[in-house]
Amino acid sequence: MKQTVYVGFDTSNYTTSAAVCSEEGRVLANIRVPLPVREGERGLRQSDAVFAHTKNLPIVCEELRAAVAGRRVLAVGVSTRPRWSENSYMPCFLAGRAAAEAFAAGLELPVREFSHQDGHVMAALYSSGEMNSLLSGRFAAFHVSGGTTDLLLCEPETERFKITVIGGSADLHAGQAIDRIGVMMGLRFPCGKELEALAAENTQRVPTPKISVRNGVCHFSGLENLAQGLWQKTGDRSLVSAFSLEFCARTLQKLTEHIDSVAAGIPVVYAGGVMSNRYLQSVLSKRPNTYFAEPSFSADNAAGIALLCRRAMMAGEE
């Protein structure tokens, strides 16, 4: 008998992704192809992202075809918007939707729609190793990336999550600030991994950053300005990198304190590309009942979408 599986697609502003999970809830394939960004630039316009996805999708689908060979696909999931709210829209998700619909049509399969944010949260739950227990009740989640710094109160529902935003950034996002600082120092976008490596090489005393967090709302524009001043003063990449991560760590710590003031002791899951940073994890893991995704499930991926598709279809059968 053929193994039965579920497929997921996600086309964010930075990565073309597809994934396969088993009926038992195990991720069998997590396919990711980054979108190219020209040297010195700090991101992509939506028109360029859609074009890049159009070029990447045949490559991704070829790998997907190999991953499902000999298996029976039961349904296809796809992220169609950044968040599950009425006015949440980005053109880059149209590419993934078209690919999912075409893939499903050829096999006469149902298609289930989710948000990119839903996928990030679900992938983090899976990677934490405590997915089933965390899905049994309310939990808090951080979605920290180049396009989002959200503090979320999550309640699992049949198909997705009921999400209430209880905090976040009022200006720049954490990943956005890190990328701007990295590009300023001549690093290649996206800059997170290289900046983390440089920070680990630092031997200088890191200045204590002055952060801005109040009632669950933070500001990252100050980080960009302070890092720029430190770079102009020292020209030290490692020091500026370490300072930038320290700023992020202290800010996220303060935001986590806001969670405990709203719902003390609640499980907290950190998701999004920025949260693959090992230094941030080492600082934030001191709080009990705290969970992180592994890097491959923390950055943009379709694994969470495939898992959500499985969960929605199984709930429908019940």
Side-chain angles (χ1 to χ4, degrees):
M1 181 181 293
K2 289 185 177 181
Q3 182 185 26
T4 52
V5 297
Y6 299 88
V7 166
F9 284 89
D10 181 80
T11 49
S12 72
N13 208 43
Y14 299 108
T15 310
T16 311
S17 308
V20 181
C21 77
S22 69
E23 201 163 10
E24 296 74 32
R26 184 166 63 92
V27 175
L28 304 174
N30 188 14
I31 304 159
R32 300 161 58 232
V33 178
L35 306 189
V37 178
R38 293 187 183 92
E39 188 172 352
E41 294 191 0
R42 304 188 298 191
L44 287 171
R45 294 177 299 179
Q46 280 294 293
S47 57
D48 293 333
V50 172
F51 179 66
H53 282 308
T54 303
K55 294 176 67 177
N56 281 353
L57 277 165
I59 301 169
V60 168
C61 287
E62 185 66 24
E63 289 192 44
L64 178 61
R65 185 175 70 170
V68 301
R71 296 170 168 139
R72 183 165 68 93
V73 182
L74 298 180
V76 179
V78 60
S79 55
T80 59
R81 63 197 73 192
R83 302 174 183 83
W84 200 262
S85 57
E86 187 177 352
N87 297 318
S88 184
Y89 168 76
M90 287 179 74
C92 60
F93 291 105
L94 295 175
R97 185 173 190 172
E101 293 283 357
F103 183 90
L107 299 173
E108 298 184 345
L109 299 174
V111 177
R112 308 303 287 260
E113 295 184 12
F114 306 95
S115 76
H116 179 69
Q117 190 169 73
D118 285 333
H120 262 303
V121 172
M122 191 64 171
L125 296 188
Y126 172 81
S127 182
S128 74
E130 298 292 335
M131 181 174 71
N132 292 332
S133 63
L134 289 168
L135 284 171
S136 66
R138 191 172 64 157
F139 61 91
F142 279 86
H143 183 192
V144 189
S145 67
T148 308
T149 303
D150 283 344
L151 176 50
L152 314 168
L153 196 59
C154 305
E155 297 179 51
E157 294 184 327
T158 303
E159 297 198 7
R160 49 184 69 93
F161 300 102
K162 179 182 177 183
I163 293 177
T164 304
V165 180
I166 59 173
S169 178
D171 42 47
L172 292 182
H173 298 300
Q176 189 178 16
I178 287 172
D179 285 331
R180 289 188 177 191
I181 293 164
V183 170
M184 174 189 72
M185 296 190 298
L187 309 187
R188 187 168 180 82
F189 181 97
C191 306
K193 287 184 178 180
E194 192 174 355
L195 189 139
E196 180 179 4
L198 285 167
E201 297 173 359
N202 178 58
T203 58
Q204 305 297 315
R205 186 185 71 83
V206 179
T208 301
K210 183 178 180 181
I211 63 171
S212 176
V213 183
R214 184 177 181 183
N215 297 325
V217 177
C218 69
H219 298 265
F220 278 104
S221 58
L223 168 57
E224 184 182 17
N225 295 332
L226 290 169
Q228 185 177 36
L230 187 61
W231 172 245
Q232 291 173 346
K233 180 180 178 180
T234 67
D236 188 330
R237 285 182 171 182
S238 296
L239 177 61
V240 173
S241 297
F243 172 81
S244 301
L245 293 185
E246 184 66 19
F247 187 105
C248 290
R250 287 175 180 253
T251 298
L252 293 172
Q253 267 188 318
K254 200 69 176 177
L255 289 174
T256 305
E257 290 176 14
H258 176 68
I259 294 174
D260 285 324
S261 71
V262 173
I266 194 172
V268 177
V269 181
Y270 292 89
V274 172
M275 295 317 308
S276 63
N277 184 281
R278 296 299 187 187
Y279 177 72
L280 297 182
Q281 291 185 15
S282 70
V283 173
L284 298 168
S285 62
K286 296 172 184 176
R287 177 192 181 274
N289 216 6
T290 297
Y291 304 91
F292 301 91
E294 289 298 317
S296 60
F297 293 101
S298 191
D300 289 346
N301 67 86
I305 300 299
L307 289 163
L308 284 168
C309 180
R310 165 190 173 268
R311 187 165 179 267
M313 293 299 294
M314 293 181 72
E317 290 172 5
E318 294 171 5

